[in-house]
Amino acid sequence: MSLGLVEDRLVFEKSRAGRRGVTLPASDAGEAPLESLLPGGALRNAPPALPELSELEVVRHYTRLSGKNFGIDTTFYPLGSCTMKYNPRVHEYGASLPGFARVHPLQPDETVQGFLALAHSLERALAEITGLAAATLNPSAGAHGELTGVLMVRAYHHDRSEPGRDTVLIPDSAHGTNPATVTIAGMQVQSVKSGPDGRVDLGDLREKLGTLGGRVAAMMITNPSTLGLFEIRIGEIARLLHEKGALLYMDGANMNALLGIARPGDFGVDVMHLNLHKTFTQPHGGGGPGAGPVAVGEKLVPFLPVPRIVQEGGAYRRREDFPKTIGRVRSFQGNPGVFVRAYAYIRSHGGEGLRKVTEAAVLNANYILARLRDAYDLAYPGPCMHEAVFSARRQVKQNGVRALDIAKRLIDLGFHPPTIYFPLIVPESLMIEPTETEPKETLDAFVAAMLTIAGEAAEEPQKVKDAPVTMPVTRLDEVRAVKQPRLRWRPR
Amino acid sequence: MRYVPHTEQDRTEMLRAIGAGSVEELFAPVPKELRPKRPLDVGPALTEPELQSWLEETAARDRSAADLLCFAGGGFYDRFIPAAIDALVSRGEFLTSYTPYQPECSQGTLQYLYEYQTMMAELTGLPVSNASLYEGATACAEAMLLSWGLKETSRRVVVSAAVHPHYRRTLETYARPVGLEVVTVPAPGGLTDAAALRKAATPETLAVLVQQPNFFGAVEDVPSAVAAAHAAGAQAVVAADPVALALLEAPGAQGADIVVGEGQPLGCPLAFGGPTFGFFCVREEHVRKLPGRLVGETHDTRGRRAFVLTFQTREQHIRREKATSNICTSQSLYALRAAIYLSLLGPAGLREVAALSVRKAHALAEQAAKIPGFALEFPKAPFAFEFALRCPRPADEVVAAGLKRGVLAGIPLGPHDPALRNVLLVAVTERRTAADLDRFVEALR
Amino acid sequence: MARPADCRYLASHEWARRDKAEVVIGITDFAVEHLSDLTFLDLPKVKDKVEAGKPFGEIESVKAVSDLNAPVSGEVTAVHEDLAESLETLAKDPFGQGWMIRVKPSHPAEWEKLLDGTAYLKVCDSEGGH
C-alpha cells in the first residue's frame, strides 16, 4: 500500500453536474415521450442524486480506493476459520468466458449443457470428497447452506411423523451462524459444552440427549472444530445421535483440513455444507460472493432443494418435480460463477493433490503453532489441524496488551490480523490459519512479526496499544458510529 | 503443485521445528479407521494449459448472449456493462480482500460500500441501505422476516401473484418452518388486483409484497398497495428493478417501508444466475432489525473521516440465536460493480438506459403483436421494458424455433402457470438495436 | 466503588433494592465497567410483566449485547425513560441515578433467594473483578 495513492473524498464529492462516464447510442426506436408509454402518476419526480464523473475520474477514484485495502495479492491473511488462500487467476479467466459469464439463468437446458455438466461434475466431486450421496449447489453462501441443511433435517423428521423434534444441539465453540440458522429454521438451540481438551463434552451430550430425548432433531458440529482440533470421538457422537433418531449435521467451514484425510460421510455425518469460497478458493471480494453447497446422505436426498441437476440420456436437465423437496432457496441455481472457480481448483489438484493441499495446510498451521508457542499461550495442546488458536491472556496480564492491540500492531508490520475474539470460549483468542498456499518464508516473516510484538508487549506496550500508525486511518470511534449513525452521504 | 509452494527442504525444516517425524504424524488425532483407503476420485490433476482448454471447451458448449440475441429477462437482463467495471473489480486489493472487520486496512472496501449504500438509498427513496444481500429472492424473504419481527404476533404475509414466481417460492421455503402463511393475491390482466389486495390485507397481516415493475413487466400502482398494507398495520414491501427506478417513482417516496430487489441489472454479468447481489433498504427506525452488513461513517483517533461496519450487535456473530438474520456476508464485490456502474452512468446515463429500454420494448411489442397469431397477453397493463406475449403455440416451441435463428426470444411462462403455456415473457434492453428487433420478429414468424 | 448495603444481587450483575412495596432494579458498577462503550438500552414498558431470572431488557456495547435479568417477578410500575439517552449516567451512578425499572413484586419471597453483598462480591472476584 502506498500512501501516495490514498483517496479521502467520496465519489459524490467529486461530482460535477453534466459530466458523464458512459454515453449510449441515440434511440433507434423513436423518441416517444415517456409520459405516453408509462402511467404519468408512476413517473419519478426528482432524479436520484447519483454522482456525475468522467470515466477517468471513476477509474482513478476506485483505483485509489483500492490502495486503502489489504488483499491476499498484497498481504498474508492468516485469518482463522476464513481460509484465505490464493485465488488462482485462471479461475477468473474461466468464469469470464462468454459461455459462463453471458448465459441467462432461464435459457433452455439444451443451450447450457456446458454449465450444467460442470455443475453436475462439481456436485459429484463434492459428494466424493465428503463421502455422501448427493449435493446441491443452490445455496448462496455458508450460512445459506446451513439453513438449507437444517430445513432438510426438519423436513426429514416431519416426513417421518416426528414434528416434535424441534431442538438442535450446538457446541459452545460453534460459529454464530449455527444458532442463528436454527432460529430462522423455526427450531430451538441447546448448547453443548466443550470439555477441557476443547472437544465436545460427551457427558454433557449424553445428558442433553437424555433430557431432551425425542425432541432432538440434530446436532450441528464443526469438525475440525473452531479450535482447530479434530473431534476424535466423532464416531461415538454420531452413534449416540443416531441411536436417538437424531441426525448429525457438520459445518464444513473447516473442510480444508480433511481433503482426502477423512470423509464426513464415513464418520457418520448425514448432512453438511461446504464453503466453496474457503476450501475451494473463491476470491472473498471484500465480503462476498461465496457459495454454500450442501452434501447429504441417502436419507435426505428426497428433500434437496430445487432445481436439481439430473443426467438423463447423456444430457443434463434441471428438474423441480420432487414431491418432498424443501423448495426453492433462492432464484435460479445458486452462484454458478463460483462453481467454475471451485471446480477448477479441484481439477487443478486431482485426488492426490487435494490430499497434499490439506497436508500442506496442516503442516503450515503446526509450524506456526510450534514457532509461537513460547511467546503466546496456546489455547489447547497440539497438534492442531488447519489452524492454531492462541490466547493473549499472558500479554493482557503483563501490561494490558489485548488481542485487539496485537492485531492492530500486525497491520503496521504488514500483515492482516488473525481472527480475534473467536471462538468465544477462548479469552483473548488469536486464531491463525495460514492455508496451504503460503510459502515458509512468509510464515517465518509472520512469526518474526508476532515475536516482535510479544517483545513490545513486554517492553513498550504503548507502541502496541497505539497501533496502527502506518495506515490511512488510526483506530476508529466505533461508539460514535452507533450513537450518531451516518449511514449514507449527504451534501453538507 | 503450482499452488502449494513447499519444497522437500521446506517440509524437512518445518517438521524439525514442529518436532514431528513426518507430516502423517500431524494427523494422529484422526482415527486410523476413518482414513480412506484410496485417493479421492475427482479426475486427474490438470496443468493450467490443460485446465484452460477444458474450461474453454466446456464454456463453448453453452450458447451465450454473445451469440444469441437475448430477449430473456425475469429479473436478469442482458444490459451493457462498461469495460471499466471488470478492470477495476479485478484489482487484487478489491478481489482478494476479506470482510472489512479490521477497518484500518479495509477503508477501500468500507468506503465503496458506504457509497453503494448512498446510491441505493437514492434510487429507492429510503434513508438506509445495507451493504447488500445474496440476491433478489432471499432479499424478499429477509424483508418478510424483518416485518415479522416488527409485528411478532402476526403470521400472515400477502403477496401479489405478479411477484416473480421464484421469489414467491423462496418466501414459502422461509415461511413454512416458522409458521408464517403466504397468501397470494391474483393479478388478472397482469396487474395486482387492488381490491383483492385490500381484502387480503387483514389486521393479522405483517407484510404486503408487490413488485415494480412486476414479473410480467407491468407498472404497478404502488401507492395503492402501500395504502392496503398500512391500513392493515403491515409493512409495505416493494421488490423493485433498480434500472426502472431511474424513471419510476422511488417506492420509498410512495410510502414503502422496505424496498428490496435484484441487483444484477447494475453492471453484473448474467452468469447463469449468479453471483449478483440483492439490495435491501429500510426506514431509519428499522436499522436495529436490518439483516446483513451495514457501514457507517465515524472518525479515527486523529479526527479523520473513516468508515466502519456498524450496528454489529444485530448480527449472528454476536447475537447468535437471537440475531436478526443468519446472514454473515454481503456480496461486496457485486455491490462494488453497482457503485462503479452508477458512478459511470450518473443520473442521466441511468435514465437513458431505462428510457432506451422502454422505447425499444414498446416498439417491439407493437411489431410483435402484429405478427399473425401473436398478441399482447395483458393489453391494458402499462409496461416498462418487458411484456407478456401470447403465441399461437406453446411458448417453449417458440423459443426453440428462435434458437435456430440465433434468438433467445424470452421466457416461457408455462412452468410458472399452466394457463400461460402459450405466453412468452419478452424483455428488451438498451443493447438491442432496431435490426435486432427485426430479427426477433423474423424468428417468430 | 462501594456497593450499597441495602441491595441484593443476581450473579448476572443486576441489583435490586426494596423501596416501600416496590423493588428498584439496575445493573452494578462491575457490569457497567465490563460492558464498556455502551451504545443502546432496551427497557420494558410500564405494566409489562417481568419474571425472576428472565430477561426484561437488553443493553448493548459496540460489540456485545447482554440480557438484563429481573431479580424478582412482578409488574413494571415505572421505567427510567431518559436513561437510554444518557447512558453515561450508568457509569457515574449505577446504584442511584442509573436505576432502570421499578417492579411491584408478585412473589415477595423471591427476595430472599437473591445474593447479598458478600456473596455477590465473591461472584465478582471469581470473574476476575475487584
Side-chain angles (χ1 to χ4, degrees), chain B residues 365-385:
Chain B
E366 201 178 312
Q367 292 176 51
K370 285 184 190 151
I371 313 172
F374 288 82
L376 290 187
E377 174 69 4
F378 306 121
K380 289 187 183 150
F383 65 92
F385 40 70

mmCIF file of all heavy atoms in Angstrom, chain B residues 365-385:
data_model
loop_
_atom_site.group_PDB
_atom_site.id
_atom_site.type_symbol
_atom_site.label_atom_id
_atom_site.label_comp_id
_atom_site.label_asym_id
_atom_site.label_seq_id
_atom_site.Cartn_x
_atom_site.Cartn_y
_atom_site.Cartn_z
ATOM 1 N N ALA B 365 -43.062 -4.546 -28.901
ATOM 2 C CA ALA B 365 -44.395 -5.046 -28.562
ATOM 3 C C ALA B 365 -45.371 -4.735 -29.699
ATOM 4 O O ALA B 365 -46.190 -5.578 -30.086
ATOM 5 C CB ALA B 365 -44.867 -4.406 -27.254
ATOM 6 N N GLU B 366 -45.225 -3.555 -30.243
ATOM 7 C CA GLU B 366 -46.115 -3.151 -31.319
ATOM 8 C C GLU B 366 -45.909 -4.047 -32.542
ATOM 9 O O GLU B 366 -46.869 -4.545 -33.139
ATOM 10 C CB GLU B 366 -45.802 -1.689 -31.669
ATOM 11 C CG GLU B 366 -46.929 -0.974 -32.393
ATOM 12 C CD GLU B 366 -46.543 0.480 -32.658
ATOM 13 O OE1 GLU B 366 -46.067 1.151 -31.713
ATOM 14 O OE2 GLU B 366 -46.703 0.918 -33.803
ATOM 15 N N GLN B 367 -44.614 -4.278 -32.872
ATOM 16 C CA GLN B 367 -44.326 -5.133 -34.039
ATOM 17 C C GLN B 367 -44.764 -6.580 -33.799
ATOM 18 O O GLN B 367 -45.333 -7.218 -34.674
ATOM 19 C CB GLN B 367 -42.825 -5.121 -34.338
ATOM 20 C CG GLN B 367 -42.293 -3.789 -34.828
ATOM 21 C CD GLN B 367 -40.776 -3.849 -35.002
ATOM 22 O OE1 GLN B 367 -40.240 -4.744 -35.652
ATOM 23 N NE2 GLN B 367 -40.080 -2.907 -34.408
ATOM 24 N N ALA B 368 -44.467 -7.077 -32.595
ATOM 25 C CA ALA B 368 -44.743 -8.487 -32.307
ATOM 26 C C ALA B 368 -46.242 -8.755 -32.338
ATOM 27 O O ALA B 368 -46.691 -9.810 -32.796
ATOM 28 C CB ALA B 368 -44.144 -8.877 -30.964
ATOM 29 N N ALA B 369 -47.005 -7.800 -31.830
ATOM 30 C CA ALA B 369 -48.453 -8.004 -31.753
ATOM 31 C C ALA B 369 -49.084 -8.027 -33.138
ATOM 32 O O ALA B 369 -50.224 -8.452 -33.302
ATOM 33 C CB ALA B 369 -49.081 -6.913 -30.890
ATOM 34 N N LYS B 370 -48.300 -7.553 -34.121
ATOM 35 C CA LYS B 370 -48.839 -7.554 -35.495
ATOM 36 C C LYS B 370 -48.559 -8.862 -36.220
ATOM 37 O O LYS B 370 -49.090 -9.090 -37.307
ATOM 38 C CB LYS B 370 -48.212 -6.394 -36.292
ATOM 39 C CG LYS B 370 -48.798 -5.036 -35.908
ATOM 40 C CD LYS B 370 -48.204 -3.951 -36.797
ATOM 41 C CE LYS B 370 -48.573 -2.568 -36.285
ATOM 42 N NZ LYS B 370 -47.560 -1.578 -36.638
ATOM 43 N N ILE B 371 -47.686 -9.709 -35.662
ATOM 44 C CA ILE B 371 -47.420 -10.989 -36.315
ATOM 45 C C ILE B 371 -48.693 -11.824 -36.185
ATOM 46 O O ILE B 371 -49.264 -11.921 -35.103
ATOM 47 C CB ILE B 371 -46.249 -11.738 -35.643
ATOM 48 C CG1 ILE B 371 -45.058 -10.808 -35.421
ATOM 49 C CG2 ILE B 371 -45.843 -12.966 -36.444
ATOM 50 C CD1 ILE B 371 -43.941 -11.440 -34.598
ATOM 51 N N PRO B 372 -49.136 -12.414 -37.270
ATOM 52 C CA PRO B 372 -50.387 -13.177 -37.195
ATOM 53 C C PRO B 372 -50.326 -14.244 -36.093
ATOM 54 O O PRO B 372 -49.338 -14.979 -36.000
ATOM 55 C CB PRO B 372 -50.486 -13.820 -38.584
ATOM 56 C CG PRO B 372 -49.665 -12.953 -39.475
ATOM 57 C CD PRO B 372 -48.583 -12.373 -38.632
ATOM 58 N N GLY B 373 -51.355 -14.287 -35.281
ATOM 59 C CA GLY B 373 -51.428 -15.277 -34.214
ATOM 60 C C GLY B 373 -50.836 -14.797 -32.906
ATOM 61 O O GLY B 373 -51.020 -15.421 -31.864
ATOM 62 N N PHE B 374 -50.067 -13.720 -32.905
ATOM 63 C CA PHE B 374 -49.439 -13.199 -31.682
ATOM 64 C C PHE B 374 -50.219 -11.989 -31.175
ATOM 65 O O PHE B 374 -50.777 -11.229 -31.969
ATOM 66 C CB PHE B 374 -47.989 -12.791 -31.956
ATOM 67 C CG PHE B 374 -47.066 -13.965 -32.159
ATOM 68 C CD1 PHE B 374 -46.989 -14.598 -33.400
ATOM 69 C CD2 PHE B 374 -46.289 -14.442 -31.119
ATOM 70 C CE1 PHE B 374 -46.149 -15.678 -33.596
ATOM 71 C CE2 PHE B 374 -45.438 -15.528 -31.302
ATOM 72 C CZ PHE B 374 -45.362 -16.147 -32.545
ATOM 73 N N ALA B 375 -50.239 -11.822 -29.871
ATOM 74 C CA ALA B 375 -50.940 -10.665 -29.293
ATOM 75 C C ALA B 375 -50.378 -10.390 -27.912
ATOM 76 O O ALA B 375 -49.839 -11.294 -27.251
ATOM 77 C CB ALA B 375 -52.444 -10.946 -29.195
ATOM 78 N N LEU B 376 -50.506 -9.160 -27.441
ATOM 79 C CA LEU B 376 -50.107 -8.861 -26.072
ATOM 80 C C LEU B 376 -51.065 -9.582 -25.129
ATOM 81 O O LEU B 376 -52.277 -9.533 -25.310
ATOM 82 C CB LEU B 376 -50.150 -7.352 -25.809
ATOM 83 C CG LEU B 376 -49.084 -6.509 -26.514
ATOM 84 C CD1 LEU B 376 -49.143 -5.066 -26.032
ATOM 85 C CD2 LEU B 376 -47.691 -7.083 -26.286
ATOM 86 N N GLU B 377 -50.512 -10.257 -24.131
ATOM 87 C CA GLU B 377 -51.351 -11.009 -23.199
ATOM 88 C C GLU B 377 -52.124 -10.062 -22.289
ATOM 89 O O GLU B 377 -53.277 -10.333 -21.930
ATOM 90 C CB GLU B 377 -50.460 -11.952 -22.357
ATOM 91 C CG GLU B 377 -51.173 -12.694 -21.244
ATOM 92 C CD GLU B 377 -52.153 -13.758 -21.749
ATOM 93 O OE1 GLU B 377 -52.226 -13.980 -22.966
ATOM 94 O OE2 GLU B 377 -52.855 -14.344 -20.902
ATOM 95 N N PHE B 378 -51.495 -8.965 -21.910
ATOM 96 C CA PHE B 378 -52.134 -8.026 -20.990
ATOM 97 C C PHE B 378 -52.195 -6.642 -21.637
ATOM 98 O O PHE B 378 -51.464 -5.725 -21.244
ATOM 99 C CB PHE B 378 -51.359 -7.966 -19.670
ATOM 100 C CG PHE B 378 -51.149 -9.303 -19.012
ATOM 101 C CD1 PHE B 378 -49.867 -9.778 -18.751
ATOM 102 C CD2 PHE B 378 -52.237 -10.100 -18.650
ATOM 103 C CE1 PHE B 378 -49.659 -11.004 -18.130
ATOM 104 C CE2 PHE B 378 -52.039 -11.345 -18.036
ATOM 105 C CZ PHE B 378 -50.753 -11.795 -17.779
ATOM 106 N N PRO B 379 -53.065 -6.468 -22.626
ATOM 107 C CA PRO B 379 -53.020 -5.234 -23.426
ATOM 108 C C PRO B 379 -53.303 -3.971 -22.608
ATOM 109 O O PRO B 379 -52.904 -2.882 -23.000
ATOM 110 C CB PRO B 379 -54.092 -5.463 -24.495
ATOM 111 C CG PRO B 379 -54.947 -6.570 -23.983
ATOM 112 C CD PRO B 379 -54.087 -7.408 -23.087
ATOM 113 N N LYS B 380 -53.992 -4.122 -21.496
ATOM 114 C CA LYS B 380 -54.343 -2.917 -20.738
ATOM 115 C C LYS B 380 -53.302 -2.550 -19.675
ATOM 116 O O LYS B 380 -53.394 -1.495 -19.056
ATOM 117 C CB LYS B 380 -55.697 -3.116 -20.066
ATOM 118 C CG LYS B 380 -56.835 -3.104 -21.077
ATOM 119 C CD LYS B 380 -58.182 -3.142 -20.401
ATOM 120 C CE LYS B 380 -59.278 -3.207 -21.443
ATOM 121 N NZ LYS B 380 -60.446 -3.930 -20.918
ATOM 122 N N ALA B 381 -52.355 -3.443 -19.452
ATOM 123 C CA ALA B 381 -51.381 -3.167 -18.392
ATOM 124 C C ALA B 381 -50.234 -2.321 -18.951
ATOM 125 O O ALA B 381 -49.584 -2.721 -19.915
ATOM 126 C CB ALA B 381 -50.844 -4.478 -17.829
ATOM 127 N N PRO B 382 -49.993 -1.137 -18.374
ATOM 128 C CA PRO B 382 -48.830 -0.360 -18.819
ATOM 129 C C PRO B 382 -47.554 -1.103 -18.444
ATOM 130 O O PRO B 382 -47.468 -1.676 -17.357
ATOM 131 C CB PRO B 382 -48.953 0.947 -18.032
ATOM 132 C CG PRO B 382 -49.783 0.612 -16.840
ATOM 133 C CD PRO B 382 -50.674 -0.534 -17.220
ATOM 134 N N PHE B 383 -46.569 -1.145 -19.362
ATOM 135 C CA PHE B 383 -45.344 -1.885 -19.041
ATOM 136 C C PHE B 383 -44.117 -1.022 -19.281
ATOM 137 O O PHE B 383 -44.182 -0.005 -19.977
ATOM 138 C CB PHE B 383 -45.274 -3.193 -19.832
ATOM 139 C CG PHE B 383 -45.155 -3.017 -21.324
ATOM 140 C CD1 PHE B 383 -43.914 -2.963 -21.942
ATOM 141 C CD2 PHE B 383 -46.296 -2.917 -22.118
ATOM 142 C CE1 PHE B 383 -43.793 -2.796 -23.321
ATOM 143 C CE2 PHE B 383 -46.189 -2.749 -23.491
ATOM 144 C CZ PHE B 383 -44.935 -2.685 -24.090
ATOM 145 N N ALA B 384 -43.028 -1.443 -18.704
ATOM 146 C CA ALA B 384 -41.773 -0.691 -18.848
ATOM 147 C C ALA B 384 -40.957 -1.304 -19.980
ATOM 148 O O ALA B 384 -41.096 -0.890 -21.118
ATOM 149 C CB ALA B 384 -40.999 -0.683 -17.549
ATOM 150 N N PHE B 385 -40.121 -2.308 -19.703
ATOM 151 C CA PHE B 385 -39.277 -2.853 -20.766
ATOM 152 C C PHE B 385 -39.411 -4.366 -20.903
ATOM 153 O O PHE B 385 -38.518 -5.042 -21.395
ATOM 154 C CB PHE B 385 -37.813 -2.438 -20.596
ATOM 155 C CG PHE B 385 -37.318 -2.458 -19.177
ATOM 156 C CD1 PHE B 385 -37.136 -3.648 -18.498
ATOM 157 C CD2 PHE B 385 -37.046 -1.263 -18.503
ATOM 158 C CE1 PHE B 385 -36.687 -3.665 -17.195
ATOM 159 C CE2 PHE B 385 -36.597 -1.271 -17.193
ATOM 160 C CZ PHE B 385 -36.417 -2.473 -16.528
#
